[in-house]
Amino acid sequence: MATFVHLTPGDRAERVRRGGVRALGPRRGVYLFPVLPSYPVTHQWLRELARRPGPRRYAAVHVRLPDDEPVTVGRYDDREPAATTAAGAVRRIGELADPLGWEVFLPRAVAPGEVRRIRAVRQVAGWRYFPGAHGVTPCVCAGCRVRGEYGSRRLRERRPHPLDGPPPAPALLASRLDRAEARGDAEELRQVLRWYELRRRGPVERLAALAGHPDPGVRRQLAWAVSGWRTPGADALLRELAGAAEPAVRATVAAILDLRSTPEADALLAELARDPRAAVREAAAESLSGRDTDAARELLDVLADDPIASVRESVALLREE
């Protein structure tokens, strides 16, 4: 029998004791880690899990599985973890020189009879962000930082990224926008709109005038600028941009709708999924794949039989992921 540990919020401990560990997530299973002689390595995922929204106190659930139980094993960033048995996963991780970041996935629930012990654990073990992150200067670019995370604003002010912030003051951005429009400087307009993208809210009425700009690059950047805004009028502006003659602009709108979950965005995405251009339909398929609704699944079924091979292949790849 192979012994593993599963980390669960402390308030679920009694539920796990009675009913076992449920299979959750899109893959429908349970993440485990072998019980090794090293306490910090065995419980390495504690700090990373506690960093996420929700409970901060975790409990360790000790699980025993048959040696021949099918599981997968690999690092957290492996796209195709290796298929093996429970005993094979314990042996493979135990032989590693550096097992940090590794995990075992059981593609089913854990039965109550397989739970051997539940105990409190010290919350100081483990790593955050990624193994070996301690001592590494954090990146504050727009792609790496977590918006709203504790201390992120002070970090950006102390170590501003040369391209990604913090954004200039609203009055300065408005002034730059006016000057760029007056000069007809499309490159400067794109730069200003990129800064608006990094703000949570903005003057939708002021930016809406750019929806008819002759440069498609400006209109594409405008779509990205309002993609995450919840300001009234943002969905209407995206619909106006979706009516552009250039397929590249429509494809950009279809792609950023993955970031919006409003009824207006759902309706617009359904229209773009029927666009006459294949590139637009491919972008719409990617956004639809992130929606767990019957309507989205029906549209993906239609795109899976699209007459254009590239669209069918895109849908097939998205479903595999």
Coordinates of all heavy atoms in Angstrom, one line a residue, residues 58-105:
Y58 N -4.9 24.8 6.8 CA -5.1 23.5 6.1 C -4.9 22.4 7.0 O -4.2 22.5 8.0 CB -4.2 23.5 4.9 CG -4.7 24.2 3.7 CD1 -4.7 25.6 3.6 CD2 -5.3 23.5 2.6 CE1 -5.3 26.2 2.5 CE2 -5.8 24.1 1.5 CZ -5.8 25.5 1.4 OH -6.3 26.2 0.3
A59 N -5.5 21.2 6.6 CA -5.3 20.0 7.3 C -4.7 19.0 6.3 O -4.9 19.0 5.1 CB -6.6 19.4 7.9
A60 N -3.9 18.0 6.8 CA -3.3 17.0 6.0 C -4.1 15.7 6.1 O -4.4 15.2 7.2 CB -1.9 16.7 6.5
V61 N -4.6 15.2 5.0 CA -5.4 14.0 4.9 C -4.4 12.9 4.4 O -4.0 12.9 3.3 CB -6.6 14.1 4.0 CG1 -7.4 12.8 4.0 CG2 -7.4 15.3 4.4
H62 N -4.2 11.9 5.3 CA -3.3 10.8 4.9 C -4.2 9.7 4.2 O -5.2 9.3 4.7 CB -2.6 10.1 6.1 CG -1.4 11.0 6.6 ND1 -0.1 10.6 6.6 CD2 -1.4 12.3 7.0 CE1 0.6 11.5 7.0 NE2 -0.1 12.6 7.3
V63 N -3.7 9.3 3.0 CA -4.5 8.4 2.1 C -3.6 7.2 1.8 O -2.5 7.4 1.4 CB -5.0 9.1 0.8 CG1 -5.7 8.2 -0.1 CG2 -5.9 10.3 1.2
R64 N -4.2 6.0 1.9 CA -3.5 4.8 1.5 C -4.2 4.2 0.3 O -5.4 4.0 0.3 CB -3.4 3.8 2.6 CG -2.6 4.3 3.8 CD -2.3 3.2 4.8 NE -1.3 2.3 4.2 CZ -1.0 1.1 4.8 NH1 -1.5 0.8 6.0 NH2 -0.1 0.4 4.3
L65 N -3.4 3.9 -0.8 CA -3.9 3.4 -2.0 C -3.2 2.1 -2.4 O -2.0 1.9 -2.0 CB -3.7 4.4 -3.2 CG -4.3 5.8 -3.1 CD1 -3.9 6.6 -4.2 CD2 -5.8 5.7 -3.0
P66 N -3.8 1.2 -3.1 CA -3.2 0.0 -3.5 C -2.0 0.3 -4.4 O -2.0 1.3 -5.1 CB -4.3 -0.8 -4.3 CG -5.5 -0.2 -3.8 CD -5.3 1.2 -3.5
D67 N -0.9 -0.5 -4.3 CA 0.3 -0.2 -5.1 C 0.0 -0.1 -6.6 O 0.7 0.6 -7.3 CB 1.3 -1.3 -4.8 CG 1.9 -1.2 -3.5 OD1 1.8 -0.1 -2.8 OD2 2.6 -2.2 -3.0
D68 N -1.0 -0.9 -7.1 CA -1.2 -0.9 -8.6 C -2.3 0.1 -9.0 O -2.8 0.1 -10.1 CB -1.6 -2.3 -9.0 CG -2.8 -2.8 -8.3 OD1 -3.3 -2.1 -7.3 OD2 -3.3 -3.9 -8.6
E69 N -2.7 1.1 -8.1 CA -3.7 2.1 -8.4 C -3.2 3.0 -9.5 O -2.1 3.6 -9.4 CB -4.0 2.9 -7.2 CG -5.1 4.0 -7.4 CD -6.5 3.4 -7.6 OE1 -6.8 2.4 -6.9 OE2 -7.2 4.0 -8.5
P70 N -3.9 3.2 -10.6 CA -3.4 4.0 -11.7 C -3.5 5.5 -11.3 O -4.5 6.0 -10.8 CB -4.4 3.8 -12.9 CG -5.1 2.5 -12.5 CD -5.1 2.4 -11.0
V71 N -2.4 6.2 -11.5 CA -2.2 7.6 -11.2 C -1.4 8.3 -12.3 O -0.8 7.6 -13.1 CB -1.6 7.9 -9.8 CG1 -2.5 7.3 -8.7 CG2 -0.2 7.4 -9.7
T72 N -1.2 9.6 -12.3 CA -0.2 10.3 -13.1 C 0.7 11.0 -12.2 O 0.3 11.4 -11.1 CB -0.9 11.2 -14.1 OG1 -1.6 12.2 -13.4 CG2 -1.8 10.5 -15.0
V73 N 1.9 11.3 -12.6 CA 2.9 12.0 -11.8 C 3.7 12.9 -12.7 O 4.0 12.6 -13.8 CB 3.8 11.0 -11.1 CG1 4.6 10.1 -12.1 CG2 4.8 11.7 -10.2
G74 N 4.0 14.1 -12.1 CA 4.8 15.1 -12.9 C 4.9 16.4 -12.1 O 4.3 16.5 -11.1
R75 N 5.7 17.3 -12.7 CA 5.7 18.7 -12.2 C 4.4 19.4 -12.5 O 3.7 19.0 -13.4 CB 6.9 19.5 -12.7 CG 8.2 19.2 -12.0 CD 9.3 20.0 -12.6 NE 9.0 21.5 -12.6 CZ 9.4 22.3 -11.6 NH1 10.0 21.8 -10.6 NH2 9.1 23.6 -11.7
Y76 N 4.1 20.4 -11.7 CA 2.9 21.2 -11.8 C 2.7 21.8 -13.2 O 1.6 22.0 -13.7 CB 2.8 22.3 -10.8 CG 3.8 23.4 -11.0 CD1 3.4 24.5 -11.7 CD2 5.0 23.3 -10.4 CE1 4.3 25.6 -11.8 CE2 5.9 24.3 -10.6 CZ 5.6 25.5 -11.3 OH 6.5 26.5 -11.4
D77 N 3.9 22.0 -13.9 CA 3.8 22.7 -15.2 C 4.0 21.7 -16.4 O 4.1 22.1 -17.5 CB 4.9 23.8 -15.3 CG 6.3 23.3 -15.0 OD1 6.4 22.1 -14.6 OD2 7.2 24.0 -15.1
D78 N 3.9 20.4 -16.1 CA 4.0 19.4 -17.1 C 2.6 19.3 -17.9 O 1.6 19.1 -17.2 CB 4.3 18.0 -16.6 CG 5.8 17.9 -16.2 OD1 6.6 18.7 -16.6 OD2 6.1 16.9 -15.5
R79 N 2.7 19.5 -19.2 CA 1.4 19.4 -20.0 C 0.9 18.0 -20.1 O -0.3 17.7 -20.2 CB 1.6 20.0 -21.3 CG 1.9 21.5 -21.3 CD 2.1 22.1 -22.7 NE 0.8 22.0 -23.4 CZ -0.1 23.0 -23.4 NH1 0.1 24.0 -22.6 NH2 -1.2 22.8 -24.1
E80 N 1.8 17.0 -20.0 CA 1.5 15.6 -20.2 C 2.2 14.8 -19.1 O 3.2 14.2 -19.3 CB 1.8 15.1 -21.5 CG 1.1 15.7 -22.7 CD 1.4 15.1 -24.0 OE1 2.1 14.1 -24.1 OE2 0.8 15.6 -25.0
P81 N 1.6 14.8 -17.8 CA 2.2 14.0 -16.8 C 2.3 12.5 -17.1 O 1.4 12.0 -17.9 CB 1.4 14.3 -15.6 CG 0.1 14.8 -16.1 CD 0.4 15.5 -17.4
A82 N 3.2 11.8 -16.6 CA 3.4 10.4 -16.9 C 2.4 9.5 -16.2 O 2.1 9.7 -15.0 CB 4.8 10.0 -16.5
A83 N 1.8 8.6 -16.9 CA 0.9 7.6 -16.3 C 1.7 6.5 -15.6 O 2.7 6.0 -16.2 CB 0.0 7.0 -17.4
T84 N 1.4 6.2 -14.4 CA 2.1 5.1 -13.7 C 1.1 4.6 -12.6 O -0.1 4.8 -12.6 CB 3.4 5.7 -13.0 OG1 4.1 4.7 -12.3 CG2 3.0 6.9 -12.0
T85 N 1.7 3.8 -11.6 CA 0.9 3.3 -10.5 C 1.3 4.1 -9.3 O 2.2 4.9 -9.2 CB 1.2 1.8 -10.3 OG1 2.6 1.7 -10.0 CG2 0.9 1.0 -11.6
A86 N 0.5 3.9 -8.2 CA 0.7 4.6 -6.9 C 2.1 4.3 -6.4 O 2.9 5.2 -6.0 CB -0.3 4.2 -5.9
A87 N 2.5 3.0 -6.5 CA 3.9 2.6 -6.0 C 4.9 3.2 -6.9 O 6.0 3.7 -6.4 CB 4.0 1.1 -6.0
G88 N 4.7 3.2 -8.2 CA 5.6 3.8 -9.1 C 5.8 5.3 -8.9 O 6.9 5.9 -9.0
A89 N 4.7 6.0 -8.6 CA 4.8 7.5 -8.3 C 5.6 7.7 -7.0 O 6.5 8.7 -7.0 CB 3.4 8.0 -8.1
V90 N 5.4 6.9 -6.0 CA 6.2 7.1 -4.8 C 7.7 6.9 -5.0 O 8.6 7.6 -4.6 CB 5.7 6.1 -3.7 CG1 6.6 6.2 -2.5 CG2 4.3 6.5 -3.3
R91 N 8.0 5.8 -5.8 CA 9.4 5.5 -6.1 C 10.0 6.6 -7.0 O 11.2 7.0 -6.7 CB 9.4 4.2 -6.8 CG 10.9 3.7 -7.2 CD 10.9 2.3 -7.6 NE 10.0 2.0 -8.8 CZ 8.8 1.4 -8.7 NH1 8.4 0.9 -7.5 NH2 8.0 1.2 -9.7
R92 N 9.3 7.1 -8.0 CA 9.8 8.1 -8.8 C 10.1 9.4 -8.1 O 11.2 10.0 -8.3 CB 8.9 8.4 -10.0 CG 9.4 9.4 -11.0 CD 8.6 9.4 -12.3 NE 9.1 10.4 -13.2 CZ 8.6 10.5 -14.5 NH1 7.6 9.8 -14.9 NH2 9.2 11.4 -15.3
I93 N 9.2 9.9 -7.3 CA 9.4 11.1 -6.6 C 10.5 11.0 -5.5 O 11.3 11.9 -5.2 CB 8.1 11.7 -6.0 CG1 7.1 12.1 -7.1 CG2 8.3 12.8 -5.0 CD1 5.8 12.6 -6.6
G94 N 10.5 9.8 -4.9 CA 11.5 9.6 -3.8 C 12.9 9.5 -4.3 O 13.9 9.8 -3.6
E95 N 13.1 9.2 -5.6 CA 14.4 9.2 -6.2 C 14.9 10.5 -6.7 O 16.1 10.6 -7.1 CB 14.5 8.1 -7.3 CG 14.2 6.7 -6.8 CD 14.1 5.7 -8.0 OE1 14.0 6.2 -9.1 OE2 14.1 4.5 -7.7
L96 N 14.0 11.5 -6.8 CA 14.4 12.8 -7.3 C 15.4 13.6 -6.4 O 15.2 13.6 -5.2 CB 13.1 13.7 -7.6 CG 12.2 13.2 -8.6 CD1 10.9 14.0 -8.6 CD2 12.8 13.3 -10.0
A97 N 16.3 14.3 -7.0 CA 17.2 15.1 -6.3 C 16.5 16.4 -5.8 O 16.8 16.9 -4.7 CB 18.4 15.5 -7.1
D98 N 15.5 16.8 -6.6 CA 14.7 18.0 -6.2 C 13.2 17.8 -6.5 O 12.8 18.0 -7.6 CB 15.2 19.3 -6.9 CG 14.4 20.5 -6.5 OD1 13.7 20.5 -5.5 OD2 14.6 21.5 -7.3
P99 N 12.5 17.3 -5.5 CA 11.0 17.0 -5.8 C 10.1 18.1 -5.7 O 8.9 17.9 -5.7 CB 10.7 15.9 -4.8 CG 11.6 16.2 -3.6 CD 12.9 16.8 -4.2
L100 N 10.6 19.4 -5.5 CA 9.7 20.5 -5.3 C 9.0 20.8 -6.6 O 9.5 20.8 -7.7 CB 10.6 21.7 -4.9 CG 11.3 21.7 -3.5 CD1 12.0 23.0 -3.3 CD2 10.3 21.3 -2.4
G101 N 7.7 21.0 -6.4 CA 6.8 21.3 -7.6 C 6.2 20.1 -8.2 O 5.4 20.2 -9.1
W102 N 6.5 18.9 -7.7 CA 5.9 17.6 -8.2 C 4.6 17.3 -7.5 O 4.3 17.8 -6.4 CB 6.9 16.5 -8.1 CG 8.0 16.5 -9.1 CD1 9.0 17.4 -9.1 CD2 8.2 15.6 -10.1 NE1 9.8 17.2 -10.2 CE2 9.4 16.0 -10.8 CE3 7.5 14.5 -10.6 CZ2 9.8 15.4 -12.0 CZ3 8.0 13.8 -11.7 CH2 9.2 14.2 -12.4
E103 N 3.8 16.6 -8.2 CA 2.5 16.2 -7.7 C 2.0 14.9 -8.3 O 2.4 14.5 -9.4 CB 1.5 17.3 -8.0 CG 1.3 17.6 -9.5 CD 0.4 18.9 -9.7 OE1 0.1 19.6 -8.8 OE2 0.1 19.1 -10.9
V104 N 1.1 14.2 -7.6 CA 0.5 13.0 -8.1 C -1.0 13.3 -8.2 O -1.6 13.9 -7.4 CB 0.7 11.8 -7.1 CG1 0.0 10.6 -7.5 CG2 2.2 11.6 -6.9
F105 N -1.6 12.8 -9.3 CA -3.0 13.0 -9.6 C -3.7 11.7 -9.6 O -3.4 10.8 -10.4 CB -3.2 13.8 -10.9 CG -4.7 14.1 -11.2 CD1 -5.3 15.1 -10.5 CD2 -5.4 13.3 -12.2 CE1 -6.7 15.4 -10.8 CE2 -6.7 13.6 -12.4 CZ -7.3 14.6 -11.8

